[in-house]
Every structure is written in C-alpha cells, then in structure tokens.
Amino acid sequence: MDAEAKGRLVTDAGELRAAVAGVRGASRIAFDTEFVGERTYFPRLCLIQIGTEREAFAVDPLAVGDLSPLDELLFDAKILKLVHAGWQDLKIFYQRTGRVPAPVFDTQIAASVLGMPAQAAYASVVREFLGVDVKKGHSYSDWGARPLSASQLAYALDDVRFLPALHDRMSERLEKEGRFSWI
C-alpha cells in the first residue's frame, strides 16, 4: 500500500467517484464504518473505510452527501466484501438503502471457526494471524466531530488495511482444515 493511500480522506463527490473507480476492478474489498450511536435511534454514519491489497481510503459521508457510487461498489455481487464483526456495518447500509452488501466474508466468524473466541476483537485476530499489533486507541472517538485528526484517520484505515491479508491467511487455514464450507 503506498504512503499516499494510507491517509486519504475522501470529502467530495468527485473524489468519491475517482476513488471508487480506482478499486472497481478488485475481486474483493475491505469495508468498515465508524458511527455515532449514542442518543440516536439509528446509528449516524460518520465514516466509511474501503481497502484493497494496494490502497485504502476513508469516505466522509457528512461531507460527500451522495454515496451512490459507493453503494454501487458495495452492492456489486461480483466483489467479495471483507469485514470484521460486520453486522453493524451491514445493518447501517440496510437502514440507509434497504439492501445488504453481499457477498461477505467476516473475519470474526472465520476466526471462531478456526478456534478463537466467538467475539474475538480485530486487534487480537490481526495479531494471531498476521503477527501485527494494531493500535485501538480511538475506539470511543466522537466520529461525528470534524475535522478528524490524523490519528483517527490512521486508526480507521487500519480497520480495513489488514483484512485482505487476513482473508488470504484464514482462507488457506479453512481450506487446509476442511472448514471453509462452515462459513
């Protein structure tokens, strides 16, 4: 992943169209969201992170407005969506659009099939399968506040940065152990 992609924040419709076009040919994309759920009936979507093997970017839905180019990407049935504990992320898109992104590979579910606790945290799974320590210092950030700090953006992008490598490693083990069909 190049250095520029490590910190890219998409804040307007033109940038969003260009970012989506840049990952359109990928067979899989990593996907995560940050939201505020306190004092709201439905979560307020504040950030959407997308990653591939080569790049990662975050979309500011509060600034961009029209997310239809991203929706087209997430609802493309030819692209595998990689998530960790993705039920909340998928629920947010269902509430927004009435549709659920698919197909999906959830690394938390795969981790449990491979012997980790059912609710294994992302940082634990990344450490176990990739040997990388992920900093989780912004778990309780106010994602609705602007501007986002560089450390918030780095934290958010780490949530998708390791998913393609996790998918590779987990798929190999699931196949080797004859458990791939379980998930």
Side-chain angles (χ1 to χ4, degrees):
M1 204 174 303
D2 65 43
E4 178 187 328
K6 289 186 178 190
R8 190 163 72 167
L9 178 63
V10 173
T11 58
D12 70 46
E15 286 179 299
L16 177 60
R17 285 189 300 278
V20 167
V23 298
R24 201 68 168 108
S27 61
R28 63 186 180 176
I29 59 168
F31 161 59
D32 189 44
T33 65
E34 305 300 338
F35 55 88
V36 176
E38 297 79 22
R39 295 184 292 255
T40 63
Y41 188 71
F42 291 111
R44 179 176 173 225
L45 182 60
C46 297
L47 196 66
I48 306 159
Q49 304 95 270
I50 301 292
T52 66
E53 292 85 358
R54 295 185 326 274
E55 67 178 300
F57 60 89
V59 178
D60 182 349
L62 306 178
V64 171
D66 178 18
L67 297 176
S68 58
L70 186 59
D71 291 340
E72 291 173 20
L73 181 72
L74 293 175
F75 296 122
D76 186 334
K78 292 179 268 177
I79 300 173
L80 178 64
K81 275 56 90 183
L82 309 175
V83 299
H84 183 85
W87 70 272
Q88 289 179 311
D89 308 308
L90 299 173
K91 180 180 172 183
I92 286 172
F93 272 81
Y94 179 77
Q95 289 168 338
R96 271 190 61 251
T97 65
R99 298 167 57 198
V100 177
V104 172
F105 181 96
D106 192 318
T107 58
Q108 187 180 62
I109 294 170
S112 70
V113 169
L114 292 168
M116 291 190 75
Q119 300 296 318
Y122 180 68
S124 299
V125 174
V126 171
R127 187 178 320 105
E128 175 72 21
F129 286 89
L130 301 177
V132 175
D133 287 320
V134 178
K135 294 180 179 145
K136 297 307 287 180
H138 287 285
S139 296
Y140 298 103
S141 277
D142 178 358
W143 292 102
R146 294 296 184 267
L148 295 172
S149 70
S151 62
Q152 280 178 303
L153 184 59
Y155 163 89
L157 290 174
D158 275 352
D159 282 351
V160 295
R161 187 166 285 128
F162 300 104
L163 286 172
L166 272 177
H167 177 249
D168 290 342
R169 189 76 44 93
M170 292 176 139
S171 294
E172 288 171 13
R173 277 207 35 209
L174 288 163
E175 287 290 343
K176 181 180 174 185
E177 296 179 20
R179 299 179 181 181
F180 198 88
S181 66
W182 296 11
I183 61 165

